[in-house]
Structures are given as structure tokens and as C-alpha cells.
Amino acid sequence: MKTGDARRRFEKVAAGDRQLAIIWCDGHESRYPSIWLLQACSCPACGSTESAVRHVRLTQQPARPKIRKMEISGQVLTLDWGEGHRSTFEAAWLRAHCLSVAERRQRKVKPQIWGREVQDRIPAMDYAEVAADPDRHLAFLETLRDLGFFLLRQVPKERERTEEVAALVGSLRLTNYGIFELEAKPSPEIVGDMALALALHTDEPYRIEPPAITLFHVLEQSAEGGESTLADGFRLAGILRQEDPEAFATLCSLPARFHRTLQEGRAFEMQAPIISLDSDGEVTGLRLLDRGMAPVDAPPDQVEAFYDALRSLLALVYDGEGQITVKLQAGEMLVFNNQRILHGRTAFDPAQGRRHVRSCHVDLDEFHSRLRTAYRSRGREEAWMTLSAGVRV
């Protein structure tokens, strides 16, 4: 029996008053409280929580339901709650939802932290290959999930093809910028339309939900300069946590203040920590745009601590810690997680050739949906993996 098969096959099942215990063929033991199983029931009488067509409320169910009987047919378990109510669960689904500490930890996707060592092995594939082959498409999505960035080559250069290519990740999220045309302009309103160098940053942290997956579609590239710079924000946050834990804690707890005012009549402002953590204390996202930060809104006795902490993080950024450089060519698309990857650009000379990049975004939930549906179509447990929620308020 293969290891994967052993994970999803019952060895022994025992029902107690308030929980179900399963020993699997790989030796692992799972325990499921009866109220959890009852809430997971998707029989016709209960309805589905996935579709939100639910016919029973929690308050209508017993707080401590009892399993009256159970039956096993192959790798399908049926529980009888009495009064004609029966719930059916597949072994694979139960194992994929095991509540043990080890299994819950295993379901949680761990990012691959990187530094300068990826400079010579930047993940890349041709667009046509990713678009035509479902397995290559999944590999692209997985790499984007794990490393936070990817380079698509041989992308059509026509501007109307941007949305088509972006659909590999998910439906576009359009803001007031629409699909933004990044090119040097005579009277620019934002710094992206200038030819000067841009330090590493994340885009639009002044929004309640900043852009997530960002796509730079290069239609034309300057002959000199205009290289893209990238760094793993998770790595920088990890270094800060190790070298200056007090600064790390401050940036995780004390909200920074970001703002942006546009001539078109829009004024954005958001207060949120620069570094976001999940319930396990692991970094899930960053907001960092030092040239777009308003004065911090904090008690006077916390202001110096905030700027000292920010100074420590920015020192890593400005020193180029773990930074790589990519010269994107016309017909290439850089895809990256803006809530993890810091990006920038070297200066370029508009007189040495036109530089035109179209920028657009896809939300994290769209990206994660693509991953889950790809796994579901293959019957893989990763369909129920726990993915990073990105930046938080």
C-alpha cells in the first residue's frame, strides 16, 4: 500500500459519546468531536455550508450530540444521529480535515524564504506552455505561492492581451487606476511615471486591502536602466525579528499611517501595522512605502520607538539585503505577491528608448481559488490547505 493510500484508509474507527476516534493505516490517530461532525454534515436535510444553502442552525442542534450508530462501507463512514438523521463522510475528506496539531501544521503552507541565491535560478516558463498545459499551470501557481514571484516569457506584446495573461492567476481587481500604464510622462502625478530609481516597497499600502498578486506586462523596455529589483519581505522581517526583536514587535503592533491624495479627487488613508502576523505568530504580509507614510498617529511616548523600529527595517531594505535584479524584456511579465515581495526599479533614460509597462492586480482569494480548484480536480488533499491571509488591519 502506498503511503498516500495508507493516510486515507481506515484501520480502526470507534465512536464515543462525544467524539469519534479513527486510527489510520499509516498509524496516525484522529479525533473528531461529535458537534464538529454534526456541523460538517451536508445531507439533504442539513444542506451545504459551501454553497451557504443551509437548512439547519447551530442553535437548533444539541450542544453535545451523540452518535447512535456507525457503519463503514469501504472508505465511507456513515453516522446515525437518531430520528432518521444520517451523515456520510469519505475517509479522504476526514483525513484532510484532521484536527491534530501535527496535521493542522502540515496543512499550513510554508513559504520558501529566499535571498540572492535565486538570482541565477529565477523561476520562469513560457506563457504558451503555462496556458496550454494544466500541470505546468499548477506548477506556476505553486511557485508563485511558495516563492512569491514568477517570470512569464514569450508573452504577447499587444496591450489588449494583458488581461488574458493575467487570467492565469484569476479575475482582475480593478481600482481607480484600472490597468495602469507605467511610462515616463512629462507631468507625472505618481512616482511610477517618472524615470528615476525606486527603492524597494509594496504598492498601495494606503488601501484597506492593498493589491495582492501584481502583474507587470512589459510592452517596451528602455535600452539603459529600468531593471526591476526584488526582495523577499518575509526574509527581511525574519532578519529583523532575530536581530532586533523589539523593533519587530513594534512594527507588528503599532499601526503605521499611509496616505495618498490624487488630483482626480480621491484621498486614501489607512492605519495598519507594517508587518502582519497570523495566530501562530508567523509573518503573513507587509505594508511598506516609506515615501508614502503620513506621520504616525500614536501616543507621544511611542513615537520614537516606532521610528527607531522603522529605521531598523529600512536599513535592511536600503542595504539591499537579499535583493535580486531582473532586466525584464519586452514580451515578458513579472508576476509577484505585492503583500510579500518588495519591488523597486533602477533609473532609466527615456531618451534611450521608450519604456512601457502595464500593471494590474488579482486578489489573494482569486489566486487561492485557482490553487484549490486545481487540487480538487486532481483529488489531492492540498485542496484543503491553509494559505496565508496576507496583510491584516
Side-chain angles (χ1 to χ4, degrees):
M1 184 185 300
K2 295 181 180 178
T3 302
D5 293 337
R7 275 183 55 84
R8 299 185 292 271
R9 295 184 67 84
F10 300 129
E11 176 72 24
K12 182 180 179 182
V13 182
D17 281 347
R18 289 166 56 180
Q19 72 173 0
L20 182 80
I22 300 176
I23 296 178
W24 303 91
C25 286
D26 66 351
H28 181 76
E29 182 176 358
S30 301
R31 294 183 179 274
Y32 307 91
S34 60
I35 184 61
W36 186 94
L37 292 161
L38 186 57
Q39 277 293 290
C41 180
S42 59
C43 73
C46 289
S48 169
T49 53
E50 285 195 277
S51 64
V53 181
R54 190 73 169 166
H55 310 305
V56 62
R57 298 174 179 175
L58 176 63
T59 53
Q60 296 172 317
Q61 296 175 327
R64 302 291 183 267
K66 291 185 179 181
I67 300 170
R68 305 300 179 180
K69 298 178 184 177
M70 69 175 188
E71 299 173 7
I72 298 175
S73 177
Q75 298 307 309
V76 176
L77 172 68
T78 300
L79 303 178
D80 190 329
W81 304 99
E83 299 182 357
H85 186 195
R86 293 161 65 86
S87 303
T88 301
F89 301 98
E90 293 185 359
W93 186 91
L94 284 167
R95 183 58 188 265
H97 292 81
C98 175
L99 301 175
S100 72
V101 172
E103 291 285 297
R104 291 175 63 243
R105 184 181 298 119
Q106 182 172 307
R107 281 197 297 274
K108 188 175 182 179
V109 174
K110 301 295 189 296
Q112 296 177 17
I113 306 302
W114 56 266
R116 286 200 179 98
E117 73 281 355
V118 303
Q119 179 70 71
D120 297 325
R121 48 185 179 89
I122 291 171
M125 277 192 278
D126 288 350
Y127 163 65
E129 181 182 10
V130 176
D133 186 335
D135 290 334
R136 301 301 283 168
H137 183 212
L138 178 57
F140 156 69
L141 295 174
E142 289 177 323
T143 304
L144 181 57
R145 175 196 66 192
D146 297 339
L147 291 178
F149 78 108
F150 201 95
L151 179 64
L152 289 173
R153 301 170 305 207
Q154 301 297 318
V155 175
K157 299 177 186 177
E158 297 82 11
R159 65 188 306 276
E160 61 270 15
R161 302 289 293 276
T162 302
E163 188 168 355
E164 172 190 317
V165 182
L168 289 173
V169 183
S171 299
L172 290 187
R173 172 197 177 184
L174 295 179
T175 67
N176 57 295
Y177 296 119
I179 296 181
F180 195 77
E181 312 287 345
L182 286 164
E183 50 190 334
K185 296 172 182 167
S187 300
E189 186 178 1
I190 67 172
V191 73
D193 288 337
M194 300 178 184
L196 49 76
L198 300 179
L200 292 171
H201 63 282
T202 65
D203 281 344
E204 303 180 50
Y206 47 80
R207 296 187 186 274
I208 294 173
E209 186 177 342
I213 305 302
T214 297
L215 306 100
F216 286 167
H217 184 191
V218 183
L219 305 185
E220 297 179 80
Q221 180 62 284
S222 56
E224 297 293 333
E227 290 91 354
S228 295
T229 54
L230 303 171
D232 188 349
F234 288 0
R235 181 175 185 272
L236 296 179
I239 293 173
L240 183 67
R241 174 182 248 167
Q242 183 176 14
E243 295 183 350
D244 194 342
E246 186 175 344
F248 178 84
T250 296
L251 297 183
C252 293
S253 58
L254 189 61
R257 182 166 158 244
F258 303 93
H259 59 176
R260 174 64 55 84
T261 300
L262 299 173
Q263 294 173 5
E264 63 193 39
R266 284 185 167 86
F268 300 102
E269 183 171 317
M270 182 61 197
Q271 294 192 55
I274 288 175
I275 301 173
S276 295
L277 304 177
D278 64 15
S279 58
D280 295 323
E282 296 179 1
V283 178
T284 60
L286 289 88
R287 300 174 187 255
L288 188 62
L289 182 65
D290 61 313
R291 53 185 165 78
M293 295 178 67
V296 67
D297 183 9
D301 61 353
Q302 296 182 30
V303 168
E304 290 181 346
F306 172 79
Y307 284 111
D308 287 346
L310 179 59
R311 185 188 303 272
S312 294
L313 177 59
L314 289 176
L316 294 171
V317 173
Y318 296 148
D319 286 346
E321 175 61 48
Q323 177 180 300
I324 63 172
T325 302
V326 185
K327 177 74 172 186
L328 300 174
Q329 302 299 325
E332 293 184 335
M333 178 179 277
L334 177 65
V335 188
F336 64 95
N337 184 347
N338 177 63
Q339 297 184 13
R340 170 184 175 180
I341 303 300
L342 306 183
H343 69 283
R345 183 191 68 204
T346 64
F348 64 96
D349 184 357
Q352 296 296 315
R354 187 167 180 259
R355 185 178 190 272
H356 185 187
V357 179
R358 305 194 83 219
S359 174
C360 56
H361 310 287
V362 174
D363 281 336
L364 273 184
D365 51 10
E366 278 283 322
F367 170 48
H368 292 170
S369 171
R370 284 300 173 89
L371 276 166
R372 291 191 182 100
T373 54
Y375 287 131
R376 286 190 183 189
S377 69
R378 292 164 171 79
R380 288 172 53 176
E381 282 188 39
E382 290 96 324
W384 296 285
M385 61 191 166
T386 301
L387 293 160
S388 170
V391 297
R392 298 187 176 188
V393 176

